[in-house]
Amino acid sequence: MSKLDYTFFKALNECDLKKYESFLAFDYEFYHDKQGLTVSKASEMESMSLFCGEQRERQQIKRELIKESLEVYPIANYGAIENGEHIFHLVIDENTSKPVSKAKFTSIWRFDKNEWKLARTISYNHVPYGKIQLDDEILEQYVGNYQASDRMINIKQEGKALRIMDLVDEKEVWSNDMLAETEDTFYLNQNNVQIKFIKNRGKVEKMAVYENGELIEEAIKEK
């Protein structure tokens, strides 16, 4: 089953849509805790065409199985259930990728006419997931408002990650997950953006935002 999993998700990572579709049963259904229910093979392939088209041009995502999490249970006279966890990586370039989320999955495989077909997928418990996981006491020191030149930037803690929000007239106009790369440096789950917190005498003084390694702005933390 691990070989089947590898081949199926290799097609996903490489956007080999013909190969990907060949694994799906005619009555395929996909249950996703964030995106809802996809009710047919045709609908799934429509979503995949978007994923491998405009969306992939903006950001390329690669899936990695957590090998030790894989569990397989036979279903008599039908096929098998596959359970596991996987990590999704944001691909920066051909040499660099960064983890951005982790999720659990259950796949129901049908052995039909001497072929394995994927009949159902359940994907759930999606959570932000960075290179390292920081303790609450470290994350809490970055929480607050930061004054940029044209807007207020709010940082808040959500679970084991941070979330950045742009505020205009106290209204949220944009937000994104911030994932830990080091104790004081974070990255977003899209584009090659890094945010570094700068301290003075042990207290956070400001944040610096870098895109593709270039400093693009700084924001001062409110006291």
Side-chain angles (χ1 to χ4, degrees):
M1 189 59 70
S2 60
K3 183 178 180 180
L4 189 65
D5 180 279
Y6 170 82
T7 305
F8 174 68
F9 279 102
K10 183 174 185 291
L12 170 66
N13 287 337
E14 296 178 355
C15 275
D16 185 344
L17 296 186
K18 185 176 181 179
K19 184 71 172 178
Y20 182 87
E21 185 177 11
S22 72
F23 282 96
L24 304 183
F26 72 93
D27 57 348
Y28 177 72
E29 293 180 355
F30 184 21
Y31 298 81
H32 194 287
D33 63 347
K34 304 296 185 183
Q35 299 171 6
L37 172 62
T38 301
V39 294
S40 68
K41 178 178 179 178
S43 295
E44 171 65 8
M45 293 312 300
E46 286 181 14
S47 297
M48 284 300 299
S49 294
L50 177 61
F51 175 81
C52 290
E54 295 179 6
Q55 184 174 332
R56 193 176 180 90
E57 290 178 4
R58 294 194 303 270
Q59 64 182 93
Q60 182 179 346
I61 299 296
K62 179 177 68 175
R63 179 263 193 184
E64 175 194 8
L65 173 69
I66 302 175
K67 293 181 180 179
E68 61 271 20
S69 73
L70 188 66
E71 299 176 334
V72 180
Y73 302 93
I75 303 175
N77 304 314
Y78 186 87
I81 297 174
E82 175 192 13
N83 290 327
E85 291 185 90
H86 43 203
I87 298 171
F88 295 92
H89 297 257
L90 174 66
V91 178
I92 304 299
D93 56 43
E94 61 182 15
N95 298 314
T96 307
S97 65
K98 299 179 180 181
V100 292
S101 67
K102 183 169 71 169
K104 297 180 180 181
F105 70 94
T106 296
S107 297
I108 300 177
W109 293 88
R110 179 191 301 154
F111 195 63
D112 185 24
K113 297 179 181 178
N114 213 34
E115 287 186 315
W116 286 101
K117 295 292 184 180
L118 185 56
R120 301 289 185 271
T121 301
I122 305 171
S123 186
Y124 59 101
N125 196 38
H126 288 81
V127 294
Y129 189 79
K131 282 188 174 181
I132 62 173
Q133 313 306 308
L134 298 177
D135 294 335
D136 288 346
E137 61 183 25
I138 296 176
L139 296 175
E140 287 170 359
Q141 65 185 318
Y142 304 127
V143 171
N145 288 328
Y146 295 74
Q147 183 63 61
S149 60
D150 60 347
R151 70 199 184 285
M152 185 68 73
I153 300 173
N154 176 260
I155 304 293
K156 68 177 183 178
Q157 183 178 352
E158 289 189 353
K160 291 297 182 180
L162 295 177
R163 191 158 187 85
I164 183 171
M165 291 180 288
D166 283 354
L167 304 176
V168 175
D169 296 330
E170 299 184 354
K171 295 181 179 180
E172 179 183 333
V173 295
W174 174 85
S175 66
N176 212 306
D177 293 326
M178 294 175 58
L179 306 155
E181 190 162 13
T182 68
E183 188 171 308
D184 61 5
T185 304
F186 295 74
Y187 57 96
L188 302 186
N189 63 5
Q190 62 182 36
N191 304 322
N192 188 16
V193 175
Q194 285 183 310
I195 298 167
K196 183 175 178 63
F197 292 99
I198 299 167
K199 296 181 180 179
N200 183 15
R201 297 180 180 179
K203 292 187 177 181
V204 178
E205 183 178 64
K206 62 181 179 179
M207 56 183 287
V209 183
Y210 298 83
E211 186 168 10
N212 297 320
E214 298 290 331
L215 178 66
I216 61 173
E217 72 172 343
E218 292 183 332
I220 306 300
K221 187 177 184 183
E222 289 189 337
K223 296 181 179 180

